[in-house]
C-alpha cells in the first residue's frame, strides 16, 4: 500500500485552526501543518516523509556527476616558485615539454596539457610560482599570480607542491587556504624527496604543521614525491582521482538523515538560555564541493564549534575525507511555536 501523509495547507496564523481540527477527524492521524505561501512547516513535512525515504536510489551519484567523473580530471599544480611544478609535469608526460630551471619564476602563464594516466584522461595545469604578496612588485609577476589563481578556480583537484629542502612555510598555508576557500579539493605533495634530509621527521613535522595551520579542513592528503626520479607520482594521481570522487559525491537523503540523527544523539546541541536548539533535518543541495543545508529551530544560535563537529563527523562517517564542505543553517518559521 502507498503510505499517506496528511497535510493541512494555508495553516498560517489563527485562521487555519478550524481546518486543522477538521483534518484530524479524517482518520489519517495528525495533519502536517503547512503554509506553502509563507514557507512554514517545511521541517515538519520533511520529518513526516523521512520514514519513506529509505528506498531512495542508493546510487551515490546522479547522472550529471557520473558524466563529470568520466570527463578529464582537471588537476592544477600550484606552489611557490622553484618547487618543481614544471619538472613534475614533464615527468608525468615523460617528455621535456615545460621549461624548468634552478632560478625562480621560470613559468609565467598557466599551461593546460591533456594527458592520460592509466587510461584515464587528465588535464594537467602547470602554473606560475606564487611568492608572498608583499614581495611581488613587478606587474608581470602580479599577472602570473592572478593567472595561477585562475587555474585554481578552473581545477577540480589542486596539488600544492612543497619543496622538501625548504619545508612548509606560511606562504604555503596561505595558498592552501585559498584553494579550500574556493571549494577545490586539495592534495599536498612534498617534492624533491630524493634529496630530503632526515625524511621521517620532516614528514611528521609538515604533517603536524598542516594540522595546526589548516584548521578548517583536517587530514588533507600529504604525499612524498620526486619529480626528478618519478617516485610517488602514481600515488599522487590515484589520490587525486579518489579525492575528486569524494568531492563529487552525493549522499542519499535517507542515509544522510540517519547519520544526522546519530550525530545529534552522540553529541546533542547546546541549550542557550535553557532553550534547546532543535535540529530537524539535513539535505545535500549540491556537490563539487559538497554543500549541505541543516534545518532547525534557533539554529542561528548554534556555536561555531558545533558546526565544526557536524562537518567533521560528516567527513568521517560519510567518506568525504578532507574535501572542503559547505554547511548552511536555516530556520523555517513556525507560527504555532511548535518545537
Ligand atoms: N633534486 C630534485 N630537484 C628537483 C626536483 N624537482 C625539481 N627539481 C629542481 O628544482 C628546480 C626548479 O624546478 P622547476 O620545475 O622549474 O620549478 P617550478 O616550480 O616550475 O618553478 P617556477 O616555474 O619558477 O614557479 C630545477 O632546478 C629542478 O631541476 C626533484 O624532485 N628533486
Ligand atoms: Mg615552472
Amino acid at each position: 500500500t502507498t503510505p499517506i501523509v496528511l497535510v493541512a495547507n494555508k495553516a498560517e496564523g489563527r485562521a487555519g485552526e478550524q481546518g486543522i481540527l477538521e483534518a484530524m477527524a479524517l482518520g489519517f492521524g495528525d495533519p502536517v501543518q503547512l503554509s506553502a505561501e509563507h514557507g512554514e512547516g517545511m521541517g515538519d513535512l520533511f520529518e513526516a516523509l523521512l520514514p519513506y525515504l529509505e528506498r531512495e536510489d542508493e546510487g551515490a551519484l546522479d547522472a550529471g556527476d557520473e558524466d563529470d567523473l568520466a570527463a578529464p580530471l582537471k588537476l592544477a599544480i600550484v606552489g611557490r616558485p622553484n618547487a618543481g611544478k614544471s619538472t613534475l609535469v614533464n615527468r608525468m608526460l615523460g617528455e621535456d615539454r615545460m621549461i624548468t630551471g634552478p632560478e625562480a619564476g621560470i613559468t609565467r602563464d598557466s599551461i593546460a596539457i591533456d594527458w592520460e594516466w592509466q587510461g584515464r584522461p587528465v588535464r594537467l595545469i602547470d602554473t606560475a610560482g606564487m611568492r608572498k604578496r608583499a614581495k611581488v612588485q613587478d606587474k608581470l609577476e602580479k599577472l602570473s599570480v592572478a593567472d595561477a589563481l585562475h587555474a585554481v578556480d578552473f581545477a577540480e583537484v589542486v596539488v600544492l607542491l612543497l619543496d622538501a629542502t625548504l619545508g612548509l612555510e606560511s606562504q604555503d598555508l596561505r595558498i592552501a587556504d585559498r584553494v579550500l576557500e574556493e571549494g577545490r579539493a586539495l592534495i599536498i605533495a612534498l617534492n624533491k624527496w630524493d634529496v630530503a634530509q632526515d625524511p621521517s621527521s620532516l614528514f611528521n613535522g609538515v604533517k603536524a604543521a598542516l594540522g595546526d595551520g589548516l584548521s578548517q579542513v583536517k587530514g588533507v592528503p600529504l604525499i612524498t614525491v620526486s619529480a626528478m626520479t618519478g617516485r610517488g607520482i602514481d600515488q599522487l594521481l590515484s589520490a587525486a582521482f579518489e579525492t575528486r570522487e569524494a568531492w563529487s559525491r552525493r549522499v542519499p537523503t535517507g542515509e544522510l538523515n540517519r547519520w544526522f540523527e546519530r550525530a545529534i544523539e552522540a553529541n546533542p546541541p547546546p541549550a542557550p538560555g535553557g532553550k534547546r536548539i532543535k535540529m530537524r533535518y539535513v539535505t545535500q543541495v549540491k556537490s563539487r564541493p559538497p554543500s549541505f543545508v541543516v534545518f532547525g529551530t534557533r539554529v542561528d544560535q548554534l556555536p561555531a564549534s558545533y558546526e565544526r563537529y557536524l562537518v567533521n563527523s560528516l567527513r568521517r562517517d560519510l567518506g568525504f575525507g578532507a574535501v572542503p564542505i559547505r554547511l548552511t543553517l536555516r530556520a523555517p518559521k513556525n507560527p504555532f511555536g511548535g518545537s
Side-chain angles (χ1 to χ4, degrees):
T1 58
T2 306
I4 294 174
V5 173
L6 183 66
V7 180
N9 192 28
K10 309 192 186 180
E12 72 273 5
R14 291 185 56 86
E17 278 175 26
Q18 184 57 37
I20 287 158
L21 290 173
E22 280 169 23
M24 281 176 176
L26 292 173
F28 293 109
D30 287 357
V32 176
Q33 302 171 20
L34 193 79
S35 169
E37 196 169 25
H38 296 251
E40 293 158 0
M42 300 307 289
D44 296 306
L45 177 59
F46 186 89
E47 248 171 38
L49 293 173
L50 204 50
Y52 310 112
L53 285 170
E54 308 305 302
R55 281 175 305 143
E56 189 179 6
D57 179 18
E58 284 300 313
L61 299 164
D62 64 29
D65 292 329
E66 262 162 35
D67 288 349
D68 289 334
L69 289 182
L73 168 67
K74 295 190 203 117
L75 185 67
I77 321 261
V78 304
R80 280 182 282 146
N82 213 38
K85 302 177 291 298
S86 301
T87 306
L88 181 65
V89 168
N90 284 343
R91 174 64 55 193
M92 287 171 169
L93 298 174
E95 55 180 294
D96 286 345
R97 192 90 68 94
M98 303 294 160
I99 302 169
T100 63
E103 321 85 80
I106 290 193
T107 307
R108 286 304 196 166
D109 305 296
S110 305
I111 297 163
I113 295 174
D114 287 316
W115 177 58
E116 234 178 51
W117 176 72
Q118 298 187 352
R120 307 178 74 178
V122 180
R123 172 159 293 179
L124 278 175
I125 307 148
D126 186 18
T127 65
M130 290 189 261
R131 284 201 295 170
K132 216 186 235 152
R133 197 180 317 154
K135 288 191 184 154
V136 178
Q137 305 292 351
D138 77 280
K139 215 164 184 174
L140 193 62
E141 190 175 353
K142 273 186 193 153
L143 286 173
S144 296
V145 171
D147 197 46
L149 292 172
H150 187 69
V152 167
D153 296 345
F154 174 79
E156 296 170 308
V157 180
V158 176
V159 173
L160 170 58
L161 199 63
L162 309 180
D163 184 331
T165 64
L166 300 174
L168 183 80
E169 292 183 358
S170 59
Q171 170 67 354
D172 298 314
L173 288 174
R174 217 165 292 136
I175 299 171
D177 265 332
R178 173 72 191 242
V179 170
L180 295 170
E181 261 162 40
E182 290 299 323
R184 308 296 104 179
L186 177 68
I187 294 179
I188 297 178
L190 201 42
N191 189 33
K192 310 194 187 179
W193 202 242
D194 53 298
V195 290
Q197 305 279 322
D198 197 357
S200 72
S201 77
L202 174 66
F203 183 87
N204 292 331
V206 170
K207 188 101 197 158
L210 285 173
D212 293 342
L214 296 178
S215 49
Q216 46 172 332
V217 174
K218 290 285 170 209
V220 172
L222 175 64
I223 293 168
T224 56
V225 300
S226 169
M228 196 79 105
T229 69
R231 175 209 152 115
I233 288 178
D234 283 339
Q235 228 184 315
L236 179 63
L237 284 155
S238 81
F241 274 102
E242 213 171 280
T243 301
R244 174 171 71 162
E245 217 164 291
W247 187 67
S248 307
R249 174 173 304 134
R250 273 182 192 275
V251 184
T253 309
E255 184 185 342
L256 189 59
N257 281 279
R258 283 195 293 280
W259 159 80
F260 193 53
E261 272 177 32
R262 282 195 308 273
I264 290 167
E265 206 176 271
N267 181 14
K275 284 187 151 186
R276 192 160 282 290
I277 296 168
K278 184 132 199 265
M279 316 281 278
R280 285 173 173 275
Y281 69 98
V282 57
T283 176
Q284 181 171 5
V285 289
K286 65 185 262 319
S287 62
R288 307 165 65 83
S291 308
F292 301 87
V293 179
V294 165
F295 291 85
T297 324
R298 285 185 288 278
V299 286
D300 52 318
Q301 293 169 43
L302 206 64
S305 61
Y306 198 84
E307 267 182 66
R308 272 198 301 278
Y309 160 71
L310 284 179
V311 168
N312 288 335
S313 44
L314 190 64
R315 258 186 230 302
R316 193 191 52 230
D317 300 344
L318 297 178
F320 283 105
V323 304
I325 284 180
R326 308 248 194 269
L327 186 78
T328 312
L329 302 168
R330 210 168 286 163
K333 284 187 229 123
N334 187 338
F336 295 97
S339 56

